[in-house]
Amino acid sequence: MIPEHSSAGVAPLLGALRELAETAERTAVQLEQQIGQALRMVQQTVAGGGTLLFCGNGGSAADAQHLATEYVVRYMRNRRAYPAIALTTDSSLLTATGNDFGFDHIFERQIEALGKAGDLLIIHSTSGNSPNVLLAADAARAKGIPVLALSAKDGGALKSRADVCIVVPTSRTDRAQEIHLCIQHAICDAIEATL
């Protein structure tokens, strides 16, 4: 049994928190303009009655679901429901598309079917190079749907396919996802406060 007052193993935990704080500070300083553009994109979509379409893989898929829920249900305030969909959640659709067309097309097909003018595609991808999110961005642009991307490292191929790309200055997937979620929560909070 580990003693209650043991400090063994605490230093790495505190180091992780400090690293997260430093990454958040660098992001705030370096990406203020892109974060402001992202806020305006979401505000325009929600105010205009469009739907926020979220997608990503792995942990970013979980973030997509989390964020769509914040808009539909609530974040900090009770208010009307805002239209938002996570393109990561319909297991029948995902497996049928994966089986019939290939995994690369799982988001693209949904955008072709559901996306409309006035919507906004929001992609979370720490690499910015996953084929399924790149095809999603292409499908959105073909339909005149703007693309907001959150990435890391150098932004990958997604950076040039997005109207706005927030590239968190880190090569660590976990830190990027933590910052993505923080940015998205702040945007959702601002939307609830202003609309």
PDB file of all heavy atoms in Angstrom, residues 95-129:
ATOM      1  N   THR A  95     -19.690   1.541 -40.536  1.00  0.00           N
ATOM      2  CA  THR A  95     -19.237   0.213 -40.963  1.00  0.00           C
ATOM      3  C   THR A  95     -19.688  -0.096 -42.382  1.00  0.00           C
ATOM      4  O   THR A  95     -18.961  -0.737 -43.137  1.00  0.00           O
ATOM      5  CB  THR A  95     -19.705  -0.875 -39.984  1.00  0.00           C
ATOM      6  OG1 THR A  95     -21.136  -0.815 -39.831  1.00  0.00           O
ATOM      7  CG2 THR A  95     -19.033  -0.712 -38.618  1.00  0.00           C
ATOM      8  N   ALA A  96     -20.877   0.364 -42.776  1.00  0.00           N
ATOM      9  CA  ALA A  96     -21.325   0.148 -44.156  1.00  0.00           C
ATOM     10  C   ALA A  96     -20.427   0.905 -45.130  1.00  0.00           C
ATOM     11  O   ALA A  96     -20.001   0.359 -46.158  1.00  0.00           O
ATOM     12  CB  ALA A  96     -22.780   0.595 -44.325  1.00  0.00           C
ATOM     13  N   THR A  97     -20.126   2.153 -44.809  1.00  0.00           N
ATOM     14  CA  THR A  97     -19.247   2.932 -45.691  1.00  0.00           C
ATOM     15  C   THR A  97     -17.856   2.307 -45.737  1.00  0.00           C
ATOM     16  O   THR A  97     -17.259   2.176 -46.812  1.00  0.00           O
ATOM     17  CB  THR A  97     -19.144   4.397 -45.220  1.00  0.00           C
ATOM     18  OG1 THR A  97     -20.454   4.943 -45.109  1.00  0.00           O
ATOM     19  CG2 THR A  97     -18.324   5.230 -46.192  1.00  0.00           C
ATOM     20  N   GLY A  98     -17.338   1.937 -44.562  1.00  0.00           N
ATOM     21  CA  GLY A  98     -16.025   1.302 -44.515  1.00  0.00           C
ATOM     22  C   GLY A  98     -15.986   0.020 -45.324  1.00  0.00           C
ATOM     23  O   GLY A  98     -15.015  -0.244 -46.041  1.00  0.00           O
ATOM     24  N   ASN A  99     -17.043  -0.766 -45.248  1.00  0.00           N
ATOM     25  CA  ASN A  99     -17.100  -2.035 -45.968  1.00  0.00           C
ATOM     26  C   ASN A  99     -17.286  -1.834 -47.471  1.00  0.00           C
ATOM     27  O   ASN A  99     -16.624  -2.484 -48.286  1.00  0.00           O
ATOM     28  CB  ASN A  99     -18.258  -2.877 -45.423  1.00  0.00           C
ATOM     29  CG  ASN A  99     -18.296  -4.264 -46.023  1.00  0.00           C
ATOM     30  OD1 ASN A  99     -17.350  -5.032 -45.858  1.00  0.00           O
ATOM     31  ND2 ASN A  99     -19.369  -4.582 -46.719  1.00  0.00           N
ATOM     32  N   ASP A 100     -18.193  -0.934 -47.839  1.00  0.00           N
ATOM     33  CA  ASP A 100     -18.546  -0.779 -49.258  1.00  0.00           C
ATOM     34  C   ASP A 100     -17.611   0.146 -50.036  1.00  0.00           C
ATOM     35  O   ASP A 100     -17.401  -0.042 -51.234  1.00  0.00           O
ATOM     36  CB  ASP A 100     -19.980  -0.259 -49.389  1.00  0.00           C
ATOM     37  CG  ASP A 100     -21.014  -1.257 -48.886  1.00  0.00           C
ATOM     38  OD1 ASP A 100     -20.643  -2.411 -48.584  1.00  0.00           O
ATOM     39  OD2 ASP A 100     -22.196  -0.884 -48.781  1.00  0.00           O
ATOM     40  N   PHE A 101     -17.090   1.175 -49.377  1.00  0.00           N
ATOM     41  CA  PHE A 101     -16.268   2.173 -50.071  1.00  0.00           C
ATOM     42  C   PHE A 101     -14.857   2.297 -49.511  1.00  0.00           C
ATOM     43  O   PHE A 101     -13.969   2.803 -50.179  1.00  0.00           O
ATOM     44  CB  PHE A 101     -16.941   3.553 -50.010  1.00  0.00           C
ATOM     45  CG  PHE A 101     -18.250   3.620 -50.744  1.00  0.00           C
ATOM     46  CD1 PHE A 101     -19.447   3.500 -50.058  1.00  0.00           C
ATOM     47  CD2 PHE A 101     -18.288   3.789 -52.117  1.00  0.00           C
ATOM     48  CE1 PHE A 101     -20.660   3.551 -50.731  1.00  0.00           C
ATOM     49  CE2 PHE A 101     -19.488   3.853 -52.800  1.00  0.00           C
ATOM     50  CZ  PHE A 101     -20.680   3.723 -52.106  1.00  0.00           C
ATOM     51  N   GLY A 102     -14.664   1.927 -48.244  1.00  0.00           N
ATOM     52  CA  GLY A 102     -13.378   2.066 -47.583  1.00  0.00           C
ATOM     53  C   GLY A 102     -13.440   3.112 -46.478  1.00  0.00           C
ATOM     54  O   GLY A 102     -14.198   4.078 -46.563  1.00  0.00           O
ATOM     55  N   PHE A 103     -12.615   2.918 -45.470  1.00  0.00           N
ATOM     56  CA  PHE A 103     -12.612   3.780 -44.279  1.00  0.00           C
ATOM     57  C   PHE A 103     -12.327   5.237 -44.619  1.00  0.00           C
ATOM     58  O   PHE A 103     -12.807   6.149 -43.949  1.00  0.00           O
ATOM     59  CB  PHE A 103     -11.577   3.249 -43.278  1.00  0.00           C
ATOM     60  CG  PHE A 103     -11.558   3.976 -41.970  1.00  0.00           C
ATOM     61  CD1 PHE A 103     -12.547   3.767 -41.019  1.00  0.00           C
ATOM     62  CD2 PHE A 103     -10.538   4.873 -41.680  1.00  0.00           C
ATOM     63  CE1 PHE A 103     -12.522   4.443 -39.805  1.00  0.00           C
ATOM     64  CE2 PHE A 103     -10.505   5.555 -40.470  1.00  0.00           C
ATOM     65  CZ  PHE A 103     -11.504   5.335 -39.527  1.00  0.00           C
ATOM     66  N   ASP A 104     -11.572   5.467 -45.674  1.00  0.00           N
ATOM     67  CA  ASP A 104     -11.228   6.840 -46.052  1.00  0.00           C
ATOM     68  C   ASP A 104     -12.464   7.681 -46.382  1.00  0.00           C
ATOM     69  O   ASP A 104     -12.395   8.915 -46.345  1.00  0.00           O
ATOM     70  CB  ASP A 104     -10.298   6.849 -47.271  1.00  0.00           C
ATOM     71  CG  ASP A 104      -8.918   6.301 -46.965  1.00  0.00           C
ATOM     72  OD1 ASP A 104      -8.613   6.051 -45.783  1.00  0.00           O
ATOM     73  OD2 ASP A 104      -8.147   6.115 -47.926  1.00  0.00           O
ATOM     74  N   HIS A 105     -13.577   7.054 -46.675  1.00  0.00           N
ATOM     75  CA  HIS A 105     -14.769   7.769 -47.151  1.00  0.00           C
ATOM     76  C   HIS A 105     -15.865   7.947 -46.098  1.00  0.00           C
ATOM     77  O   HIS A 105     -16.940   8.446 -46.413  1.00  0.00           O
ATOM     78  CB  HIS A 105     -15.331   7.043 -48.372  1.00  0.00           C
ATOM     79  CG  HIS A 105     -14.336   6.933 -49.482  1.00  0.00           C
ATOM     80  ND1 HIS A 105     -14.061   7.965 -50.360  1.00  0.00           N
ATOM     81  CD2 HIS A 105     -13.493   5.916 -49.832  1.00  0.00           C
ATOM     82  CE1 HIS A 105     -13.127   7.596 -51.205  1.00  0.00           C
ATOM     83  NE2 HIS A 105     -12.749   6.359 -50.905  1.00  0.00           N
ATOM     84  N   ILE A 106     -15.601   7.573 -44.838  1.00  0.00           N
ATOM     85  CA  ILE A 106     -16.671   7.565 -43.829  1.00  0.00           C
ATOM     86  C   ILE A 106     -17.245   8.945 -43.524  1.00  0.00           C
ATOM     87  O   ILE A 106     -18.437   9.071 -43.242  1.00  0.00           O
ATOM     88  CB  ILE A 106     -16.234   6.878 -42.515  1.00  0.00           C
ATOM     89  CG1 ILE A 106     -15.041   7.593 -41.883  1.00  0.00           C
ATOM     90  CG2 ILE A 106     -15.942   5.403 -42.746  1.00  0.00           C
ATOM     91  CD1 ILE A 106     -14.671   7.079 -40.494  1.00  0.00           C
ATOM     92  N   PHE A 107     -16.447   9.982 -43.584  1.00  0.00           N
ATOM     93  CA  PHE A 107     -16.952  11.340 -43.335  1.00  0.00           C
ATOM     94  C   PHE A 107     -17.416  12.004 -44.637  1.00  0.00           C
ATOM     95  O   PHE A 107     -18.410  12.722 -44.655  1.00  0.00           O
ATOM     96  CB  PHE A 107     -15.893  12.194 -42.639  1.00  0.00           C
ATOM     97  CG  PHE A 107     -15.391  11.622 -41.343  1.00  0.00           C
ATOM     98  CD1 PHE A 107     -14.034  11.572 -41.065  1.00  0.00           C
ATOM     99  CD2 PHE A 107     -16.267  11.121 -40.396  1.00  0.00           C
ATOM    100  CE1 PHE A 107     -13.563  11.039 -39.869  1.00  0.00           C
ATOM    101  CE2 PHE A 107     -15.805  10.574 -39.204  1.00  0.00           C
ATOM    102  CZ  PHE A 107     -14.453  10.536 -38.939  1.00  0.00           C
ATOM    103  N   GLU A 108     -16.697  11.736 -45.700  1.00  0.00           N
ATOM    104  CA  GLU A 108     -17.031  12.314 -46.999  1.00  0.00           C
ATOM    105  C   GLU A 108     -18.469  11.985 -47.396  1.00  0.00           C
ATOM    106  O   GLU A 108     -19.226  12.867 -47.825  1.00  0.00           O
ATOM    107  CB  GLU A 108     -16.049  11.756 -48.043  1.00  0.00           C
ATOM    108  CG  GLU A 108     -16.354  12.127 -49.475  1.00  0.00           C
ATOM    109  CD  GLU A 108     -15.504  11.321 -50.441  1.00  0.00           C
ATOM    110  OE1 GLU A 108     -15.249  10.119 -50.199  1.00  0.00           O
ATOM    111  OE2 GLU A 108     -15.112  11.919 -51.454  1.00  0.00           O
ATOM    112  N   ARG A 109     -18.868  10.718 -47.242  1.00  0.00           N
ATOM    113  CA  ARG A 109     -20.222  10.306 -47.633  1.00  0.00           C
ATOM    114  C   ARG A 109     -21.285  11.037 -46.821  1.00  0.00           C
ATOM    115  O   ARG A 109     -22.321  11.437 -47.352  1.00  0.00           O
ATOM    116  CB  ARG A 109     -20.392   8.789 -47.468  1.00  0.00           C
ATOM    117  CG  ARG A 109     -19.577   7.950 -48.413  1.00  0.00           C
ATOM    118  CD  ARG A 109     -20.014   8.076 -49.842  1.00  0.00           C
ATOM    119  NE  ARG A 109     -21.277   7.403 -50.086  1.00  0.00           N
ATOM    120  CZ  ARG A 109     -21.871   7.331 -51.268  1.00  0.00           C
ATOM    121  NH1 ARG A 109     -21.305   7.889 -52.321  1.00  0.00           N
ATOM    122  NH2 ARG A 109     -23.015   6.715 -51.410  1.00  0.00           N
ATOM    123  N   GLN A 110     -21.027  11.221 -45.544  1.00  0.00           N
ATOM    124  CA  GLN A 110     -22.005  11.912 -44.696  1.00  0.00           C
ATOM    125  C   GLN A 110     -22.124  13.385 -45.083  1.00  0.00           C
ATOM    126  O   GLN A 110     -23.225  13.947 -45.069  1.00  0.00           O
ATOM    127  CB  GLN A 110     -21.617  11.778 -43.226  1.00  0.00           C
ATOM    128  CG  GLN A 110     -21.733  10.350 -42.715  1.00  0.00           C
ATOM    129  CD  GLN A 110     -21.357  10.269 -41.262  1.00  0.00           C
ATOM    130  OE1 GLN A 110     -22.144  10.621 -40.389  1.00  0.00           O
ATOM    131  NE2 GLN A 110     -20.150   9.804 -40.989  1.00  0.00           N
ATOM    132  N   ILE A 111     -21.017  13.999 -45.425  1.00  0.00           N
ATOM    133  CA  ILE A 111     -21.063  15.405 -45.848  1.00  0.00           C
ATOM    134  C   ILE A 111     -21.825  15.522 -47.165  1.00  0.00           C
ATOM    135  O   ILE A 111     -22.644  16.421 -47.347  1.00  0.00           O
ATOM    136  CB  ILE A 111     -19.645  15.989 -45.941  1.00  0.00           C
ATOM    137  CG1 ILE A 111     -19.059  16.094 -44.535  1.00  0.00           C
ATOM    138  CG2 ILE A 111     -19.659  17.354 -46.617  1.00  0.00           C
ATOM    139  CD1 ILE A 111     -17.576  16.271 -44.484  1.00  0.00           C
ATOM    140  N   GLU A 112     -21.580  14.584 -48.086  1.00  0.00           N
ATOM    141  CA  GLU A 112     -22.320  14.580 -49.342  1.00  0.00           C
ATOM    142  C   GLU A 112     -23.819  14.466 -49.093  1.00  0.00           C
ATOM    143  O   GLU A 112     -24.622  15.116 -49.762  1.00  0.00           O
ATOM    144  CB  GLU A 112     -21.862  13.415 -50.231  1.00  0.00           C
ATOM    145  CG  GLU A 112     -20.479  13.593 -50.811  1.00  0.00           C
ATOM    146  CD  GLU A 112     -19.999  12.370 -51.593  1.00  0.00           C
ATOM    147  OE1 GLU A 112     -20.789  11.408 -51.758  1.00  0.00           O
ATOM    148  OE2 GLU A 112     -18.840  12.377 -52.032  1.00  0.00           O
ATOM    149  N   ALA A 113     -24.201  13.655 -48.112  1.00  0.00           N
ATOM    150  CA  ALA A 113     -25.615  13.400 -47.842  1.00  0.00           C
ATOM    151  C   ALA A 113     -26.267  14.486 -46.989  1.00  0.00           C
ATOM    152  O   ALA A 113     -27.416  14.870 -47.234  1.00  0.00           O
ATOM    153  CB  ALA A 113     -25.778  12.049 -47.142  1.00  0.00           C
ATOM    154  N   LEU A 114     -25.550  14.994 -46.002  1.00  0.00           N
ATOM    155  CA  LEU A 114     -26.157  15.862 -44.989  1.00  0.00           C
ATOM    156  C   LEU A 114     -25.758  17.322 -45.083  1.00  0.00           C
ATOM    157  O   LEU A 114     -26.496  18.194 -44.621  1.00  0.00           O
ATOM    158  CB  LEU A 114     -25.795  15.349 -43.586  1.00  0.00           C
ATOM    159  CG  LEU A 114     -26.171  13.906 -43.268  1.00  0.00           C
ATOM    160  CD1 LEU A 114     -25.574  13.488 -41.935  1.00  0.00           C
ATOM    161  CD2 LEU A 114     -27.677  13.724 -43.271  1.00  0.00           C
ATOM    162  N   GLY A 115     -24.585  17.596 -45.605  1.00  0.00           N
ATOM    163  CA  GLY A 115     -24.061  18.966 -45.611  1.00  0.00           C
ATOM    164  C   GLY A 115     -24.832  19.875 -46.543  1.00  0.00           C
ATOM    165  O   GLY A 115     -25.268  19.461 -47.619  1.00  0.00           O
ATOM    166  N   LYS A 116     -24.983  21.123 -46.101  1.00  0.00           N
ATOM    167  CA  LYS A 116     -25.701  22.108 -46.915  1.00  0.00           C
ATOM    168  C   LYS A 116     -25.085  23.481 -46.716  1.00  0.00           C
ATOM    169  O   LYS A 116     -24.346  23.705 -45.759  1.00  0.00           O
ATOM    170  CB  LYS A 116     -27.188  22.122 -46.570  1.00  0.00           C
ATOM    171  CG  LYS A 116     -27.475  22.524 -45.138  1.00  0.00           C
ATOM    172  CD  LYS A 116     -28.922  22.330 -44.767  1.00  0.00           C
ATOM    173  CE  LYS A 116     -29.227  22.765 -43.358  1.00  0.00           C
ATOM    174  NZ  LYS A 116     -28.279  22.417 -42.340  1.00  0.00           N
ATOM    175  N   ALA A 117     -25.411  24.384 -47.614  1.00  0.00           N
ATOM    176  CA  ALA A 117     -24.926  25.758 -47.492  1.00  0.00           C
ATOM    177  C   ALA A 117     -25.322  26.308 -46.134  1.00  0.00           C
ATOM    178  O   ALA A 117     -26.431  26.077 -45.659  1.00  0.00           O
ATOM    179  CB  ALA A 117     -25.514  26.619 -48.608  1.00  0.00           C
ATOM    180  N   GLY A 118     -24.403  27.017 -45.502  1.00  0.00           N
ATOM    181  CA  GLY A 118     -24.651  27.574 -44.173  1.00  0.00           C
ATOM    182  C   GLY A 118     -24.117  26.726 -43.044  1.00  0.00           C
ATOM    183  O   GLY A 118     -24.075  27.164 -41.899  1.00  0.00           O
ATOM    184  N   ASP A 119     -23.703  25.495 -43.353  1.00  0.00           N
ATOM    185  CA  ASP A 119     -23.118  24.612 -42.342  1.00  0.00           C
ATOM    186  C   ASP A 119     -21.630  24.934 -42.185  1.00  0.00           C
ATOM    187  O   ASP A 119     -21.062  25.715 -42.957  1.00  0.00           O
ATOM    188  CB  ASP A 119     -23.274  23.144 -42.742  1.00  0.00           C
ATOM    189  CG  ASP A 119     -24.711  22.658 -42.696  1.00  0.00           C
ATOM    190  OD1 ASP A 119     -25.568  23.351 -42.104  1.00  0.00           O
ATOM    191  OD2 ASP A 119     -24.984  21.576 -43.256  1.00  0.00           O
ATOM    192  N   LEU A 120     -21.014  24.305 -41.197  1.00  0.00           N
ATOM    193  CA  LEU A 120     -19.575  24.446 -40.959  1.00  0.00           C
ATOM    194  C   LEU A 120     -19.012  23.082 -40.602  1.00  0.00           C
ATOM    195  O   LEU A 120     -19.522  22.425 -39.688  1.00  0.00           O
ATOM    196  CB  LEU A 120     -19.311  25.433 -39.817  1.00  0.00           C
ATOM    197  CG  LEU A 120     -17.845  25.600 -39.366  1.00  0.00           C
ATOM    198  CD1 LEU A 120     -16.985  26.168 -40.487  1.00  0.00           C
ATOM    199  CD2 LEU A 120     -17.774  26.482 -38.121  1.00  0.00           C
ATOM    200  N   LEU A 121     -17.981  22.641 -41.316  1.00  0.00           N
ATOM    201  CA  LEU A 121     -17.287  21.406 -40.975  1.00  0.00           C
ATOM    202  C   LEU A 121     -16.138  21.746 -40.039  1.00  0.00           C
ATOM    203  O   LEU A 121     -15.304  22.609 -40.349  1.00  0.00           O
ATOM    204  CB  LEU A 121     -16.745  20.719 -42.232  1.00  0.00           C
ATOM    205  CG  LEU A 121     -15.895  19.464 -41.981  1.00  0.00           C
ATOM    206  CD1 LEU A 121     -16.704  18.368 -41.281  1.00  0.00           C
ATOM    207  CD2 LEU A 121     -15.308  18.949 -43.292  1.00  0.00           C
ATOM    208  N   ILE A 122     -16.106  21.076 -38.888  1.00  0.00           N
ATOM    209  CA  ILE A 122     -15.045  21.279 -37.897  1.00  0.00           C
ATOM    210  C   ILE A 122     -14.285  19.963 -37.748  1.00  0.00           C
ATOM    211  O   ILE A 122     -14.853  18.964 -37.299  1.00  0.00           O
ATOM    212  CB  ILE A 122     -15.606  21.754 -36.551  1.00  0.00           C
ATOM    213  CG1 ILE A 122     -16.421  23.042 -36.734  1.00  0.00           C
ATOM    214  CG2 ILE A 122     -14.471  21.963 -35.545  1.00  0.00           C
ATOM    215  CD1 ILE A 122     -17.126  23.519 -35.479  1.00  0.00           C
ATOM    216  N   ILE A 123     -13.025  19.983 -38.144  1.00  0.00           N
ATOM    217  CA  ILE A 123     -12.196  18.779 -38.146  1.00  0.00           C
ATOM    218  C   ILE A 123     -11.158  18.870 -37.043  1.00  0.00           C
ATOM    219  O   ILE A 123     -10.446  19.861 -36.932  1.00  0.00           O
ATOM    220  CB  ILE A 123     -11.481  18.610 -39.492  1.00  0.00           C
ATOM    221  CG1 ILE A 123     -12.498  18.482 -40.636  1.00  0.00           C
ATOM    222  CG2 ILE A 123     -10.540  17.409 -39.462  1.00  0.00           C
ATOM    223  CD1 ILE A 123     -11.864  18.487 -42.016  1.00  0.00           C
ATOM    224  N   HIS A 124     -11.071  17.811 -36.248  1.00  0.00           N
ATOM    225  CA  HIS A 124      -9.999  17.664 -35.262  1.00  0.00           C
ATOM    226  C   HIS A 124      -9.054  16.590 -35.788  1.00  0.00           C
ATOM    227  O   HIS A 124      -9.467  15.459 -36.025  1.00  0.00           O
ATOM    228  CB  HIS A 124     -10.562  17.229 -33.905  1.00  0.00           C
ATOM    229  CG  HIS A 124     -11.244  18.317 -33.163  1.00  0.00           C
ATOM    230  ND1 HIS A 124     -10.880  18.674 -31.888  1.00  0.00           N
ATOM    231  CD2 HIS A 124     -12.255  19.138 -33.495  1.00  0.00           C
ATOM    232  CE1 HIS A 124     -11.644  19.665 -31.470  1.00  0.00           C
ATOM    233  NE2 HIS A 124     -12.494  19.962 -32.440  1.00  0.00           N
ATOM    234  N   SER A 125      -7.782  16.938 -35.999  1.00  0.00           N
ATOM    235  CA  SER A 125      -6.802  15.973 -36.487  1.00  0.00           C
ATOM    236  C   SER A 125      -5.419  16.425 -36.054  1.00  0.00           C
ATOM    237  O   SER A 125      -4.900  17.418 -36.564  1.00  0.00           O
ATOM    238  CB  SER A 125      -6.860  15.870 -38.016  1.00  0.00           C
ATOM    239  OG  SER A 125      -5.829  15.024 -38.490  1.00  0.00           O
ATOM    240  N   THR A 126      -4.820  15.706 -35.129  1.00  0.00           N
ATOM    241  CA  THR A 126      -3.527  16.140 -34.609  1.00  0.00           C
ATOM    242  C   THR A 126      -2.420  16.009 -35.654  1.00  0.00           C
ATOM    243  O   THR A 126      -1.452  16.754 -35.624  1.00  0.00           O
ATOM    244  CB  THR A 126      -3.141  15.375 -33.335  1.00  0.00           C
ATOM    245  OG1 THR A 126      -3.166  13.969 -33.604  1.00  0.00           O
ATOM    246  CG2 THR A 126      -4.102  15.699 -32.202  1.00  0.00           C
ATOM    247  N   SER A 127      -2.577  15.090 -36.607  1.00  0.00           N
ATOM    248  CA  SER A 127      -1.569  14.961 -37.670  1.00  0.00           C
ATOM    249  C   SER A 127      -1.898  15.839 -38.868  1.00  0.00           C
ATOM    250  O   SER A 127      -1.003  16.296 -39.574  1.00  0.00           O
ATOM    251  CB  SER A 127      -1.465  13.506 -38.139  1.00  0.00           C
ATOM    252  OG  SER A 127      -2.594  13.152 -38.930  1.00  0.00           O
ATOM    253  N   GLY A 128      -3.188  16.027 -39.127  1.00  0.00           N
ATOM    254  CA  GLY A 128      -3.618  16.753 -40.315  1.00  0.00           C
ATOM    255  C   GLY A 128      -3.403  15.972 -41.599  1.00  0.00           C
ATOM    256  O   GLY A 128      -3.490  16.535 -42.686  1.00  0.00           O
ATOM    257  N   ASN A 129      -3.169  14.669 -41.488  1.00  0.00           N
ATOM    258  CA  ASN A 129      -2.864  13.868 -42.679  1.00  0.00           C
ATOM    259  C   ASN A 129      -3.740  12.635 -42.846  1.00  0.00           C
ATOM    260  O   ASN A 129      -3.497  11.844 -43.771  1.00  0.00           O
ATOM    261  CB  ASN A 129      -1.393  13.434 -42.658  1.00  0.00           C
ATOM    262  CG  ASN A 129      -0.465  14.600 -42.916  1.00  0.00           C
ATOM    263  OD1 ASN A 129      -0.686  15.395 -43.824  1.00  0.00           O
ATOM    264  ND2 ASN A 129       0.565  14.725 -42.095  1.00  0.00           N
TER     265      ASN A 129
END
